[in-house]
């Protein structure tokens, strides 16, 4: 690794900003990132890094080092969100109702510049660097990439990802070992009853009433069923029921998420889902209603490897030129990099972007979300240091 790495990375500032703004201006939803993938492939061709096509819009690229060694994977997600942008930026989304409101535009820019730097210094590397440009992160695209073999040929020994993160102040980074992001399980629930006239409720079976009872009863799952020191959130995000004010509802549809961060996910997940269905069945039996319940796996807990996290901590101190730059962080938010972290030693770093001076204080998935573009340099330098330190230490 070059002694003047910080100076070399600083020379990429204009390119990082240009790339990030290009992707911000041209957002695409999950598994529809066709132009994004095409742009990435053209960029990789220009720097002479071969690209492999994965499922739909997924891409992987391989930089082969000058000396033999292990393989490290870097992940960048590409998809945008179905949100109407209201930032007023000159490079705001050109596509109504779609915007990069989660920082993925910055992740792509960082990864492309990291690839360019490493490709120019590949003879120094003892091993390989695999770059995954992943589609559909918001809906668990990582598992598809794994099924398509991204962790093999060559076998991946460790993985690093970063997330530009609004809850963390710009100039700081969040790094914690162990489970840091929660398991997410989505659900769809249909309650079936018997339609009737509101003047004769005794002749009907009110599915809407049953749905309301389930929403209320489910709070017991949080407050009484499990250790209160273990985070769990059961949230209903939608309820569709009824067709008129004077008709008793015969069917109600609900949907939502179950999120938790437990010490032993494999043991506790069946217990959580089993308790959820037990409450649904109990309410429906009480009111003589039927139900159909579908669990939709989203992602497991994201686990930061305890050994690798120490490597990243030291690299972060070098990036920010100070020891006091690291925050602890855990959240019930879901991230499908978790699928990779469950299979190979991994670390996701949360790079702070919260800066009032750049108006980057809005939460993720907000219509005014933007980033502090200074963080692009920090992210690029961190990923380069992670690659060099991991491959040299191994």
């Amino acid at each position: 690794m070059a002694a003047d790495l910080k100076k070399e990375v600083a020379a990429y500032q204009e390119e990082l900003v240009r790339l990030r703004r290009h992707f911000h201006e041209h957002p695409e939803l999950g598994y529809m990132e066709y132009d994004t993938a095409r742009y990435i492939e053209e960029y990789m061709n220009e720097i002479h890094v071969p690209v492999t096509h994965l499922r739909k819009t997924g891409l992987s690229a391989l930089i082969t080092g000058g000396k033999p060694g292990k393989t490290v994977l870097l992940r960048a997600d590409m998809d945008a969100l179905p949100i109407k942008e209201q930032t007023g930026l000159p490079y705001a989304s050109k596509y109504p109702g779609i915007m990069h409101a989660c920082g993925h535009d910055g992740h792509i820019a960082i990864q492309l510049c990291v690839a360019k730097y490493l490709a120019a210094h590949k003879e120094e590397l003892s091993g390989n660097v695999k770059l995954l440009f992943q589609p559909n992160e918001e809906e668990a695209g990582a598992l598809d990439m794994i099924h398509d073999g991204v962790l093999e040929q060559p076998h991946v020994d460790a993985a690093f990802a970063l997330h530009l993160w609004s809850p963390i102040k710009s100039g700081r980074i969040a790094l914690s070992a162990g489970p840091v992001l929660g398991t997410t399980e989505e659900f769809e629930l249909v309650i079936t009853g018997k339609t009737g006239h509101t003047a004769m409720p005794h002749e009907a079976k009110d599915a809407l009433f049953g749905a309301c009872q389930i929403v209320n009863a489910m709070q017991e799952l949080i407050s009484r069923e499990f250790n209160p020191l273990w985070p769990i959130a059961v949230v209903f995000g939608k309820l569709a029921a009824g067709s008129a004010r004077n008709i008793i509802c015969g069917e109600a549809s609900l949907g939502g998420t179950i999120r938790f961060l437990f010490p032993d996910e494999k043991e506790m997940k069946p217990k959580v889902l089993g308790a959820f269905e037990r409450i649904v069945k109990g309410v429906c039996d009480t009111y003589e209603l039927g139900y159909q319940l579908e669990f939709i796996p989203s992602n497991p807990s994201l686990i930061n490897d305890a050994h690798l996290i120490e490597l990243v901590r030291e690299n972060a101190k070098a990036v920010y030129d100070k020891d006091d730059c690291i925050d602890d962080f855990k959240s019930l938010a879901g991230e499908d990099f978790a699928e990779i972290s469950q299979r190979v030693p991994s670390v996701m770093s949360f790079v702070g972007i919260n800066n009032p001076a750049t108006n980057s204080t809005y939460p993720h998935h907000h219509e005014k979300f933007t980033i502090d573009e200074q963080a692009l340099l920090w992210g690029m330098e961190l990923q380069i240091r992670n690659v060099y330190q991991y491959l040299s230490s191994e």
Side-chain angles (χ1 to χ4, degrees), residues 107-392:
H107 302 167
I108 308 168
I110 290 169
Q111 182 125 310
L112 287 175
C113 288
V114 168
K116 187 174 184 178
Y117 180 91
L118 293 176
H121 296 78
K122 63 183 180 181
E123 295 304 318
E124 304 170 4
L125 298 175
S126 299
N128 309 305
V129 182
K130 186 175 287 190
L131 302 125
L132 170 60
F133 295 91
Q134 184 210 304
N136 204 39
E137 184 276 326
E138 298 292 346
E139 296 185 17
L143 195 56
D144 288 338
M145 303 300 104
I146 292 169
H147 289 159
D148 283 0
V150 75
L151 297 182
E152 303 299 333
Q153 298 181 342
H155 172 75
V156 169
D157 299 291
F160 297 97
L162 57 80
H163 209 307
L164 301 172
W165 202 245
S166 170
I168 305 298
K169 289 183 179 179
S170 191
R172 300 190 64 79
I173 188 169
L175 293 166
S176 300
V180 292
L181 294 181
T183 298
T184 302
E185 193 84 13
E186 301 182 20
F187 62 85
E188 293 287 341
L189 173 62
V190 178
I191 308 299
T192 54
K194 180 181 177 183
T195 304
H197 197 291
T198 55
M200 293 170 282
H202 59 290
E203 294 184 359
K205 300 295 180 185
D206 193 340
L208 176 54
F209 177 79
C212 293
Q213 297 303 309
I214 287 171
V215 172
N216 287 329
M218 205 57 70
Q219 305 316 304
E220 181 270 340
L221 188 68
I222 302 169
S223 64
R224 297 293 185 273
E225 192 83 18
F226 297 102
N227 188 333
L229 297 179
W230 297 345
I232 179 171
V234 180
V235 179
F236 291 82
K238 65 175 185 176
L239 169 61
S243 58
R245 289 187 293 274
N246 61 348
I247 300 175
I248 292 175
C249 176
E251 182 174 290
S253 299
L254 305 92
T257 60
I258 307 169
R259 301 174 185 268
F260 52 89
L261 194 59
F262 291 163
D264 189 339
E265 176 186 328
K266 290 183 179 179
E267 177 186 348
M268 296 306 299
K269 180 176 175 178
K271 292 183 179 180
V272 173
L273 302 189
F276 183 96
E277 183 162 10
R278 189 190 71 236
I279 292 172
V280 170
K281 183 178 185 301
V283 171
C284 289
D285 286 349
T286 298
Y287 299 108
E288 297 183 307
L289 300 167
Y291 74 91
Q292 292 180 329
L293 174 61
E294 179 186 9
F295 291 117
I296 306 165
S298 182
N299 58 262
S301 295
L302 194 157
I303 300 172
N304 277 347
D305 181 80
H307 172 68
L308 285 184
I309 201 77
E310 295 307 316
L311 178 150
V312 180
R313 283 176 179 270
E314 293 306 309
N315 289 336
K317 293 173 185 178
V319 168
Y320 292 98
D321 281 328
K322 57 184 179 181
D323 289 343
D324 181 21
C325 62
I326 300 171
D327 295 333
D328 287 327
F329 171 77
K330 291 187 177 182
S331 170
L332 288 179
E335 226 295 348
D336 73 349
F337 184 67
E339 297 286 1
I340 295 172
S341 80
Q342 295 273 337
R343 290 164 172 82
V344 300
S346 303
V347 169
M348 172 168 275
S349 309
F350 297 88
V351 177
I353 57 169
N354 190 305
N355 184 358
T358 58
N359 208 33
S360 54
T361 59
Y362 292 97
H364 293 259
H365 297 202
H366 191 282
E367 62 268 18
K368 292 187 178 181
F369 176 88
T370 189
I371 69 169
D372 179 359
E373 291 178 327
Q374 174 65 30
L376 299 171
L377 282 172
W378 298 325
M380 178 183 172
E381 183 181 346
L382 180 67
Q383 290 293 69
I384 292 171
R385 288 184 181 275
N386 289 341
V387 167
Y388 272 101
Q389 293 292 349
Y390 175 77
L391 293 180
S392 62

Side-chain angles (χ1 to χ4, degrees), residues 37-76:
R38 190 177 302 113
Y39 191 102
I40 290 169
E41 184 170 9
E42 290 173 357
Y43 188 100
M44 301 303 279
N45 287 338
E46 289 176 5
I47 61 174
H48 307 293
V49 175
V51 168
T52 299
H53 288 262
L54 301 172
R55 189 166 313 190
K56 296 184 179 178
T57 48
L59 298 172
S60 71
L62 185 67
I63 298 173
T64 303
K67 291 165 280 188
K70 293 195 174 183
T71 297
V72 60
L73 179 139
L74 304 180
R75 195 290 305 257

